[in-house]
Amino acid sequence: MNEDGSEQEFRITAEQLLRLDTESSEEKRAEFRIGDLSREFGVTLRTLRFYEDRGLLSPERRGTTRIYSRRDRMRLRLVLLAKILGFSLTEAKQLIDVYHQPDGQRKQLKVALSRFEEQRGILEEQRREIEESLDAMRLTTNFVSDCLSKLGGAD
């Protein structure tokens, strides 16, 4: 939280999420409070509560305190990575939930790799469409600017 009581997110990168040392002191802890995860991953408390509402995280309740497990911490890490990769929260949940099936870890990695390749194709197509739109915008902006100049009103 900021001094004024407002929450602020910082942007964690895919590289940071992938590099989070699985043997770090944070990983060895069994329990995390909402503020711990908020600070570590640069998300607001509201974001964590939203992920809980969507079934992505399942903290234990001790009175009004949320206690997150190592499993929740890993799930948050995967949700944030999926989000960076352009997946919806529903898609992220589907990818994560594969882990709980028989031969889950292997299956999860295979499914993830396949979905990552599909998503890369989608993002590359979106990039191509954006480049086309930007080219059209430059052309149209120049055309309109020229028309305005010819009318003598370049306000």
Side-chain angles (χ1 to χ4, degrees):
M1 286 220 187
N2 293 336
E3 290 177 9
D4 65 1
S6 66
E7 296 179 53
Q8 182 178 351
E9 292 191 34
F10 69 85
R11 294 202 32 103
I12 193 165
T13 66
E15 184 176 7
Q16 289 169 316
L17 288 167
L18 292 171
R19 275 195 192 175
L20 282 176
D21 186 4
T22 56
E23 295 302 318
S24 71
S25 60
E26 287 298 312
E27 181 67 19
K28 291 177 185 174
R29 289 177 51 192
E31 297 179 344
F32 306 86
R33 293 182 183 269
I34 194 168
D36 299 332
L37 294 182
S38 173
R39 279 186 298 280
E40 181 181 4
F41 291 98
V43 296
T44 63
L45 306 179
R46 186 177 188 177
T47 296
L48 291 170
R49 290 189 293 265
F50 178 75
Y51 290 166
E52 181 183 346
D53 289 342
R54 296 291 303 264
L56 295 161
L57 304 174
S58 304
E60 177 187 330
R61 297 293 187 123
R62 292 188 191 149
T64 59
T65 304
R66 289 172 167 84
I67 304 296
Y68 294 88
S69 65
R70 284 193 300 239
R71 178 178 178 268
D72 287 316
R73 182 179 177 272
M74 179 57 75
R75 287 177 68 92
L76 176 59
R77 181 179 171 190
L78 294 173
V79 166
L80 295 174
L81 181 60
K83 187 176 159 188
I84 289 170
L85 297 175
F87 291 99
S88 69
L89 292 180
T90 300
E91 291 168 318
K93 187 174 186 324
Q94 291 168 349
L95 285 169
I96 293 167
D97 287 346
V98 171
Y99 185 82
H100 301 290
Q101 296 177 5
D103 194 26
Q105 186 175 14
R106 174 181 280 290
K107 187 172 184 179
Q108 183 185 43
L109 292 171
K110 284 184 172 184
V111 168
L113 185 58
S114 173
R115 287 292 293 123
F116 292 168
E117 290 168 353
E118 289 173 26
Q119 185 67 9
R120 180 179 25 231
I122 290 167
L123 292 172
E124 287 173 353
E125 176 62 21
Q126 288 175 344
R127 178 173 50 191
R128 187 189 61 71
E129 291 172 0
I130 289 169
E131 287 298 327
E132 286 177 4
S133 292
L134 287 170
D135 288 344
M137 182 62 74
R138 281 187 281 276
L139 179 67
T140 304
T141 300
N142 290 338
F143 177 81
V144 171
S145 182
D146 288 346
C147 288
L148 191 57
S149 292
K150 289 175 186 174
L151 291 173
D155 293 312

